Amino acid sequence: MSSIDLRLLRYFVAVAEEGHLTKAAQRIGIQQPPLSQQIRALEKELGVTLFRRMPRGMELTESGQALLTDARLILEQINTTIEGVRRISLGESGRLAVGFTESAALHPFIPAVIRAFRQKSPGVIMAVEESNTNDLVEDLRHNRLDVAFIRSPIGSAAGLKMETMLVEEMIVALPVTHKLAQRRKSLPLTALAEDDFILNRRPSGPGLYDSVIAACRAAGFSPRVVQEAKKNLSTLSLVAAGLGVSIVPASMRHVQLKEVVYLKLEQAPDLRAPLHLAYRDEPQSGAAERMIIEARKLAQR
């Protein structure tokens, strides 16, 4: 099976289109004698005569006409392939799998990053996944996600890089019937010492769960956790039902439930909810690199 140098095909097309060795040589940017040698080398490789040498130019033979049609298609496909690979490398096309936690998705930062990325890379096909921090970390490790916006993971984050994008305060969610719900805009954490607590299950958000427990103990009491839910929205539904109070990231106040009142917390400096951007500690795809860059830009504003 013959293996034809693509350069010879380009030389051949130039000569065929110009119909003259000198003009083709000028177009390509080489001398005429080497070009003539390359055309003869191509004919020898194929075992056919591609041109009839005329007194004032070059004329394609029937075999040459057939090769010209296919050579143009081959070179066009090669150029298209190279351009496609370049666009993927630059993050202008390709695929990107993005993960985020439920509470992170409600923060304006996440849609802002996605919107900025989409404006720069409209050709990228994006898949999104909402899950808890631990599952998102595992999805990153197993290449099911490219980047993920997560809360603080517990345990080893080996093989991953994490950049803190923002840190938001945590607030208390009270049933509208709670005795403190309507009388103030904020309250000290100690005011909740006798309340029943509803928290996300620790495996779903170990960092935030442990922060709440630690903050309560630092305030002088151990929270009485009577109910655990898998997601923040489920937690707020239970608060709305009057089963207890909860402490959630401030972005959760975007969930407007008429049975729930959100108040700021006083004297709880350690109750903060960081949002990290996590990705594998390895060279990134063009699309992932562009997403990381856009997130960094918005985080610095």
Side-chain angles (χ1 to χ4, degrees), residues 129 135-145 280:
E129 175 70 23
D135 287 347
L136 292 175
V137 166
E138 287 304 304
D139 286 343
L140 282 171
R141 286 191 172 126
H142 291 88
N143 297 305
R144 292 188 289 267
L145 290 175
R280 286 181 297 280

Side-chain angles (χ1 to χ4, degrees), residues 8 14 22 40 69 87-88 136 147 150 161 179 217 239 242 253 264 277:
L8 294 183
T22 301
R40 292 190 183 280
T69 299
R87 285 174 56 80
I88 290 173
L136 292 175
V147 298
I150 64 173
K161 283 187 175 181
K179 61 184 179 180
R217 288 177 177 168
V239 172
R253 61 161 47 101
K264 289 187 175 183
L277 176 60

Side-chain angles (χ1 to χ4, degrees), residues 42-174:
L42 179 60
E43 290 178 320
K44 183 178 180 180
E45 176 73 22
L46 296 176
V48 300
T49 299
L50 298 172
F51 293 98
R52 285 187 288 271
R53 275 70 175 173
M54 311 296 287
R56 294 189 176 182
M58 306 281 282
E59 185 177 273
L60 286 169
T61 63
E62 185 177 0
S63 296
Q65 288 283 1
L67 178 61
L68 178 60
T69 299
D70 289 342
R72 283 170 169 163
L73 291 174
I74 291 169
L75 294 176
E76 182 180 355
Q77 181 60 54
I78 290 296
N79 290 336
T80 299
T81 299
I82 292 173
E83 176 63 15
V85 170
R86 185 193 68 82
R87 285 174 56 80
I88 290 173
S89 176
L90 294 175
E92 296 174 356
S93 64
R95 294 178 178 272
L96 181 69
V98 182
F100 43 76
T101 64
E102 179 194 29
S103 62
L106 291 170
H107 196 287
F109 178 78
I110 301 301
V113 171
I114 293 176
R115 185 166 53 251
F117 173 81
R118 177 57 68 206
Q119 290 173 350
K120 295 289 183 63
S121 302
V124 173
I125 298 173
M126 186 186 302
V128 296
E129 175 70 23
E130 180 189 301
S131 190
N132 62 66
T133 290
N134 281 352
D135 287 347
L136 292 175
V137 166
E138 287 304 304
D139 286 343
L140 282 171
R141 286 191 172 126
H142 291 88
N143 297 305
R144 292 188 289 267
L145 290 175
D146 298 302
V147 298
F149 295 93
I150 64 173
R151 298 298 186 179
S152 296
I154 296 298
S156 174
L160 299 181
K161 283 187 175 181
M162 290 195 299
E163 299 184 27
T164 302
M165 297 288 105
L166 56 89
V167 179
E168 61 177 315
E169 66 178 351
M170 297 189 74
I171 58 177
V172 60
L174 303 170

